[in-house]
Amino acid sequence: MLLSDATLETGSNVDFREIPLNQISPNPNQPRLDFSEERIRELESSIKKDGLLQPILVRPLGDGYEIVAGERRWQACKRLEKESIPAKILILDDVESQQIALVENLQRDNLNPIEEARGYRRLVDLSGCKQKDLAEAVSKSPVFISNAMRLLDLPEEVQDMMVDGALSAGHGRAILALAEDETRIKLAKKVIEESLTVRETENIARLYSSQGLERVKRAPSPRSFGIAARKLRKLLKTGVRVKSVRGKNKIEIEFSDETDLERILAAIEDKEILSNQEEAQGQREGFVARQL
């Protein structure tokens, strides 16, 4: 049975204490598969400066404890060589542990669409609940849960593109309109290479059903657009598309909320500062060379 929102909030079966780090192990069913190295470093700096502001959640397992939520906080404390960490101890079965881990990740830091979908699928498999009950437990609509889990019907290669941030959930749903995995992969690659929007992807998927993907004509974007998009995705750690729309070249940068937007702006500003410093250094070296 899935936990109710009330149980999740009140934590009526919660104990609180400091636990030695070496008694805690990570959750093998953690919904988040991709732990950003940058985010862990930021958290490490924050804990070093202000301490750990929120305890992690664990459950008893064997002679120690298993993390339910807060693995990044645990990793950051290990890097700081702390001996123990404040933790809330919950008595949970596998289903309850998975549900809390999923909800905590969704609320704290958005999972990518595939991580989210796999989390929902795992909950359904573990609990045997219906999607309607799952939707109520995680405060989502049944349609949202259904659409999310449908992304797992995509080929693994396309799912990997979504995990990397090259494709959005909207792109994934549009690609699902195609029946065969081979054509789904071809369209996914076309979306990335040509920086197609979700609407453009939907239109091409509809056209393919009667014409075939190879016959769908669209002026290809310069190779430099794809290279720039990949570099920006790596720099900003989010989805980025470089495209041309009605004769105007555009860069689209995805962000989840205001905090994520501030992180992206800081990354851009840091890059500008570094670039300005390199330019100034080059000018100084040129001046010295002329003096010699």
Side-chain angles (χ1 to χ4, degrees):
M1 179 182 296
L2 294 174
L3 289 170
S4 67
D5 287 342
T7 303
L8 284 171
E9 291 296 327
T10 58
S12 55
N13 58 346
V14 174
D15 183 18
F16 178 84
R17 69 180 70 166
E18 286 273 339
I19 300 178
L21 286 173
N22 59 14
Q23 292 183 15
I24 300 173
S25 60
N27 180 358
N29 294 317
Q30 157 71 243
R32 178 169 292 283
L33 305 176
D34 180 22
F35 288 92
S36 166
E37 178 66 22
E38 180 183 358
R39 295 290 181 90
I40 294 177
R41 286 200 302 267
E42 291 174 354
L43 185 55
E44 185 179 344
S45 297
S46 174
I47 293 173
K48 188 174 182 179
K49 178 182 177 183
D50 302 316
L52 186 63
L53 301 180
Q54 186 168 4
I56 65 172
L57 305 181
V58 300
R59 65 170 180 159
L61 185 68
D63 295 330
Y65 302 89
E66 180 183 84
I67 296 173
V68 176
E71 184 169 336
R72 283 189 301 195
R73 281 166 275 167
W74 175 71
Q75 289 184 11
C77 286
K78 284 184 66 178
R79 292 187 183 191
L80 292 170
E81 299 183 348
K82 290 184 175 295
E83 295 184 358
S84 64
I85 188 171
K88 291 182 178 180
I89 304 171
L90 296 85
I91 308 302
L92 304 169
D93 60 25
D94 290 344
V95 176
E96 294 168 337
S97 175
Q98 179 66 20
Q99 183 186 352
I100 291 180
L102 179 61
V103 172
E104 200 267 356
N105 273 281
L106 288 171
Q107 291 178 345
R108 181 176 300 278
D109 192 359
N110 289 339
L111 300 170
N112 68 59
I114 297 302
E115 288 175 331
E116 186 173 351
R118 289 172 181 169
Y120 294 145
R121 172 65 59 80
R122 194 175 293 119
L123 269 176
V124 170
D125 291 344
L126 282 171
S127 67
C129 70
K130 296 180 180 179
Q131 289 186 19
K132 178 182 67 175
D133 299 323
L134 173 59
E136 182 177 349
V138 297
S139 302
K140 303 286 186 180
S141 72
V143 172
F144 180 93
I145 298 294
S146 177
N147 285 337
M149 293 178 64
R150 284 180 61 231
L151 296 175
L152 299 180
D153 293 333
L154 290 166
E156 287 291 334
E157 186 173 348
V158 179
Q159 291 186 37
D160 290 343
M161 297 176 194
M162 297 182 67
V163 171
D164 292 340
L167 296 174
S168 69
H171 286 114
R173 288 191 292 271
I175 293 169
L176 279 169
L178 301 177
E180 299 178 357
D181 283 353
E182 182 180 355
T183 53
R184 287 173 172 176
I185 293 171
K186 285 182 178 179
L187 180 53
K189 290 179 177 178
K190 184 180 182 70
V191 169
I192 296 172
E193 290 170 0
E194 301 183 13
S195 298
L196 300 179
T197 66
V198 172
R199 179 62 60 84
E200 289 170 333
T201 306
E202 291 171 344
N203 291 339
I204 290 178
R206 281 193 292 269
L207 286 171
Y208 172 74
S209 62
S210 60
Q211 298 180 22
L213 189 61
E214 289 75 11
R215 295 179 59 188
V216 177
K217 302 294 183 180
R218 187 179 191 274
S221 298
R223 183 170 176 270
S224 60
F225 282 24
I227 294 174
R230 286 193 294 273
K231 288 183 177 180
L232 287 169
R233 280 196 293 270
K234 184 176 181 181
L235 171 66
L236 303 178
K237 294 178 172 54
T238 189
V240 177
R241 286 182 289 277
V242 181
K243 61 183 182 177
S244 183
V245 180
R246 291 188 290 276
K248 294 183 178 181
N249 296 326
K250 297 184 178 182
I251 297 177
E252 290 186 353
I253 301 173
E254 297 178 4
F255 62 94
S256 57
D257 50 33
E258 290 184 359
T259 301
D260 197 29
L261 176 60
E262 291 176 0
R263 176 189 66 79
I264 292 170
L265 289 174
I268 293 173
E269 289 170 354
D270 287 347
K271 192 69 176 178
E272 287 178 347
I273 291 171
L274 179 60
S275 177
N276 290 337
Q277 289 174 342
E278 290 174 345
E279 181 180 352
Q281 178 65 23
Q283 291 174 348
R284 287 194 294 269
E285 292 174 353
F287 174 78
V288 172
R290 287 193 299 273
Q291 296 301 311
L292 297 174

